[in-house]
Amino acid sequence: MYLEKYTDVLLNGRKEVQIFFPMCGKCVDMKWFYDNGHRVVGVEYVEKGVVEFFQEQGLEYVVEPVEQICGNLYKTADEHLKIFCCDFLKFDKDCAGLMDVVWDRGALVAIEKGDRKKYVKLMLSILAPGYQYLLSTFCYDDWFFSGCPRTVPPALVHILFGNHCNLQHLETRDASERMSERMDIRPVLEDFWLITEKNLK
């Protein structure tokens, strides 16, 4: 689990939070939070990945259509783990309420450059007061590679979030080896950010 190091920072001493996984894929972290009593909400466009997540994690689920997002909701019987299968930018707070915690390890870096402001606007609109938001970004020379994960340098993170949130840079990791099968460039740096509510008073 990649966020193991920052779990305590994210939860900030709270129990039974609602945690959001944008563009979640089959992220196993969702099952860990669910097993530990939290409410989990994910959004994923690829239906095959949603079905495989529930199957691989041994979770029974039900499916129901959600007209407002032109998609489907997959959820456990207790409704504590929900994955909305839809275009991410159609999701909003009416779908599942506000989010206490966010773990974004592949969404912002997957969004098309022209949609980044829309993405951030949507994310800010679903955050509950006192939220904790962990963001992973990649930084590399994109002259020879322009696919996913897209480069999001630190300066851009500040442009996208800095006017609305507090930003704390937690660490930079060399991800060159891990990403070598996907992109033949070096270095590939992965930055981790903690985003929290800005006191405007």
Side-chain angles (χ1 to χ4, degrees):
M1 190 170 73
Y2 286 111
L3 78 162
E4 184 175 2
K5 181 175 181 179
Y6 298 114
T7 298
D8 291 341
V9 173
L10 270 181
L11 296 179
N12 198 25
R14 295 174 294 175
K15 299 182 184 299
E16 299 181 3
V17 301
Q18 178 152 271
I19 179 167
F20 186 53
F21 290 79
M23 299 187 187
C24 59
K26 299 191 291 182
C27 180
V28 297
D29 298 332
M30 294 190 290
K31 177 66 159 47
W32 185 89
F33 279 102
Y34 173 69
D35 287 342
N36 282 273
H38 303 288
R39 289 166 288 119
V40 176
V41 178
V43 178
E44 172 56 42
Y45 183 72
V46 181
E47 193 163 21
K48 182 175 183 286
V50 179
V51 173
E52 289 180 350
F53 168 79
F54 282 96
Q55 292 175 340
E56 292 171 6
Q57 299 303 322
L59 294 170
E60 294 185 3
Y61 64 92
V62 296
V63 186
E64 62 183 40
V66 183
E67 291 185 7
Q68 72 190 76
I69 59 170
C70 301
N72 293 317
L73 168 60
Y74 290 73
K75 61 182 179 179
T76 53
D78 61 7
E79 300 193 356
H80 284 187
L81 197 161
K82 301 177 180 179
I83 300 180
F84 292 84
C85 186
C86 65
D87 177 344
F88 180 79
L89 293 177
K90 292 180 186 273
F91 185 81
D92 62 34
K93 65 182 179 182
D94 293 334
C95 293
L98 298 178
M99 308 298 164
D100 304 302
V101 171
V102 175
W103 173 213
D104 177 347
R105 196 167 191 276
L108 180 59
V109 295
I111 285 285
E112 295 282 351
K113 292 181 180 180
D115 289 329
R116 284 171 174 167
K117 289 183 179 180
K118 293 179 184 177
Y119 170 83
V120 171
K121 182 179 180 180
L122 189 158
M123 292 300 294
L124 294 176
S125 73
I126 64 173
L127 297 174
Y131 63 85
Q132 301 281 105
Y133 184 151
L134 183 62
L135 170 68
S136 163
T137 57
F138 291 93
C139 185
Y140 56 85
D141 184 347
D142 61 355
W143 181 257
F144 298 105
F145 181 86
S146 59
C148 292
R150 295 181 173 86
T151 185
V152 182
L156 181 56
V157 176
H158 282 275
I159 290 172
L160 292 172
F161 290 96
N163 289 335
H164 311 282
C165 315
N166 291 320
L167 286 170
Q168 180 184 351
H169 181 253
L170 299 174
E171 69 170 299
T172 299
R173 297 179 185 174
D174 188 338
S176 304
E177 191 67 30
R178 178 163 57 83
M179 303 300 291
S180 60
E181 292 186 3
R182 186 176 301 184
M183 52 178 73
D184 187 22
I185 54 175
R186 290 175 183 268
V188 178
L189 302 179
E190 184 175 16
D191 290 292
F192 289 83
W193 306 84
L194 179 64
I195 302 173
T196 55
E197 190 173 16
K198 178 175 283 189
N199 187 346
L200 298 178
K201 294 182 180 180

